[in-house]
Amino acid sequence: QVQLEESGGGLVQPGGSLRLSCGAAGFTFRIYDMSWYRQAPGKERELVARIPSVDGRTEYADSVKGRFTISRDNAKNTVYLQMNSLKPEDTAVYYCNAYWRPARVGSKELNYWGQGTQVTVSS
């Protein structure tokens, strides 16, 4: 059974920090691109950060560049999101995502999601 389980969310004041973790099981973690998405009330789900399965360039939403850092530990099947200098507009449900695109055209892509964890930034 595929599992993605987020932890580390909660309530924090503006300017504070949180570190989200996502533990994975049931698939070959090391070959998947891992991402964090978020969805705020009234908004569409948004890509926050992505780290490829191989050594490559991480990607960040413009709104979080310089404040958030994504990392992964393949030995622990875990991806992290370090969030610093948090702002009220960062308030959202944060989702962990695993994605695999096979090299062969026509092969099935695989895409898994965690259940989400609430991050609230408020005074």
Side-chain angles (χ1 to χ4, degrees):
Q1 182 177 340
V2 171
Q3 295 184 31
L4 293 172
E5 184 173 356
E6 299 97 334
S7 62
L11 175 65
V12 65
Q13 293 184 342
S17 297
L18 287 173
R19 189 177 79 154
L20 305 183
S21 299
C22 174
F27 62 97
T28 308
F29 179 86
R30 63 178 176 83
I31 70 171
Y32 282 71
D33 294 346
M34 299 299 300
S35 298
W36 289 95
Y37 287 75
R38 68 186 181 188
Q39 188 166 22
K43 296 185 177 180
E44 295 185 347
R45 190 168 297 188
E46 169 192 30
L47 175 66
V48 177
R50 174 178 288 129
I51 183 166
S53 61
V54 298
D55 190 16
R57 297 170 62 182
T58 55
E59 302 173 6
Y60 296 93
D62 288 341
S63 59
V64 308
K65 286 180 179 177
R67 299 189 296 120
F68 291 11
T69 302
I70 189 170
S71 61
R72 66 191 294 165
D73 187 339
N74 288 340
K76 296 181 178 179
N77 285 3
T78 302
V79 63
Y80 306 94
L81 185 68
Q82 178 67 46
M83 304 186 294
N84 299 326
S85 302
L86 283 161
K87 304 175 181 179
E89 51 263 44
D90 295 318
T91 296
V93 178
Y94 284 71
Y95 298 91
C96 179
N97 171 260
Y99 179 75
W100 180 62
R101 183 189 299 275
R104 291 183 178 271
V105 175
S107 296
K108 187 178 181 179
E109 299 175 353
L110 299 177
N111 195 23
Y112 304 129
W113 294 91
Q115 80 289 346
T117 185
Q118 178 70 48
V119 172
T120 302
V121 185
S122 177
S123 299

